[in-house]
Amino acid sequence: VPLAQPQYRLIKSLFSTQQDFADNTFYDVSNFNLPLAFDLTFAPMSSRELRRAKFTDNSPSPAPIVPVDSDAYAYAFEWHHYKAPALLQELLDKGVAARIASQPFTAATTQGNLSLAAGTIVIPRGVPQPQALIELVNAAAVDVGVPVLSLSSGFTRTGIDIGSRSMVPVKAPKALLVGGEGVSPYQADEVWHYLDTQVGMPVTLVEQRHLDNVSLHDYTHVVFVGGRYDLPEGVDETLTDWVRAGGTLVGQTSALRLFARHNWLDIKLSSRQDVADLFSDKTLTFADRSAHNAQQLVAGAVYQADIDISHPLFYGYDAPQLNLFKTSNMMVFSNASPTVVPARYTDSPLVAGFSADPVANEIAGSVAVVAEAMGRGRVIGFTDDPQFRGFWYGTNKLMSNALFMAEAIN
């Protein structure tokens, strides 16, 4: 993307990784880096490098959608595709039984031997399936635009076999999203918008004050977004029992304070005073108080986390780091093992946007994602908002993984 064009200021803004600003007071966001939002790698090029670069007119094209083989042993599609959750949802809606490959494997397909990563969805033909399975798979693949592979054998070249216990049955998610007074309408709408428009998943929205009138046994997941929560009497015990019986509780941003308060997650969260204590006010003047307070905020900056791509919450990701959009100075701490905390901010986490050094240094190494077992269920926490304003596509799949891949977390 050459800068020698009339819109060079816009291009510089879309690729900006600026961290220092003349005025560090922001309305709400200090960076809008587009490649980072889509989890794309990029690098600036000097005029000298540009002259030496070789270009091609061949732009990448999507993989062709080939009809599946009617004689195949099973069908499979990889979870790396952005629309893979939409394909799985459509198949589940049609009554198709599917499995999650919790370990990688190499399978014989009509396209040759292919290495398939953990998170690959397998549709075995040796279990009860709809009579028109082949037609359903072909139609859904074309509708969503995700290629489906035909596997010729249940035995694999390497890794787990198709009949292995490590092929975890997929439960069709039935999600309840908590809303109402005190709950962030922005975050609730972002979750609903993503699941509705990108996944095709229906979601039940229930105000927190009505949770005592809901039968949780009708749902597989309950999602809490950021907000202030004052649950009706007895709902915390009901939710605890529901999780222990196999339910999945998902929370993000300030909802994690509720999770910590009720011991659903063994975590510690920073307070406003903890952040304030990072800055000295011994020489603070009255005129500088606004700037002093602004230093304590994280006003829409990009932070990087080390992630465990073998963990079910990160199925579909290839790189060991992921860029997260952070809009709060809230920090989460845990001494749990990496199997419980599959994502922590890196030692130098700030990638783009403004954060004062004391805040960025304190966030370094803290928890970005946590997932704990509770009885036969599990509790998942995201420190940040994976669906921020519906445009931070790079972390969208974390919510789909929390809903579809939860059964693989054990």
Side-chain angles (χ1 to χ4, degrees), residues 179-184 208 225-231 254-255 258 261:
E181 185 177 356
V183 178
S184 168
Q208 64 165 316
V225 297
R228 293 174 289 101
Y229 289 95
D230 184 15
L231 301 180
S254 57
L258 173 73
R261 188 163 69 242

Side-chain angles (χ1 to χ4, degrees), residues 88-245:
L88 179 56
Q89 179 65 36
E90 185 166 335
L91 292 172
L92 293 174
D93 285 343
K94 302 295 184 181
V96 174
R99 303 285 188 269
I100 304 164
S102 63
Q103 298 178 35
F105 63 101
T106 301
T109 76
T110 53
Q111 300 177 29
N113 293 333
L114 296 178
S115 296
L116 302 175
T120 295
I121 302 300
V122 176
I123 304 167
R125 298 189 66 187
V127 301
Q129 297 283 16
Q131 187 172 1
L133 176 64
I134 295 172
E135 290 79 4
L136 290 175
V137 171
N138 283 330
V142 170
D143 181 44
V144 176
V146 177
V148 177
L149 303 169
S150 299
L151 278 56
S152 58
S153 172
F155 295 104
T156 60
R157 297 294 188 266
T158 61
I160 58 175
D161 291 327
I162 304 305
S164 168
R165 289 185 177 181
S166 295
M167 290 286 181
V168 182
V170 180
K171 276 188 177 181
K174 295 180 180 178
L176 184 155
L177 175 61
V178 181
E181 185 177 356
V183 178
S184 168
Y186 300 105
Q187 291 190 29
D189 284 351
E190 288 161 2
V191 172
W192 170 83
H193 179 268
Y194 167 68
L195 295 176
D196 179 59
T197 65
Q198 299 297 338
V199 182
M201 181 186 297
V203 177
T204 300
L205 182 63
V206 176
E207 294 186 36
Q208 64 165 316
R209 63 192 178 100
H210 294 315
L211 284 175
D212 55 346
N213 297 322
V214 174
S215 173
L216 294 180
H217 298 293
D218 295 333
Y219 302 95
T220 59
H221 296 70
V222 175
V223 180
F224 286 85
V225 297
R228 293 174 289 101
Y229 289 95
D230 184 15
L231 301 180
E233 185 178 355
V235 167
D236 56 335
E237 291 90 347
T238 301
L239 281 165
T240 300
D241 293 341
W242 171 80
V243 173
R244 292 189 182 281

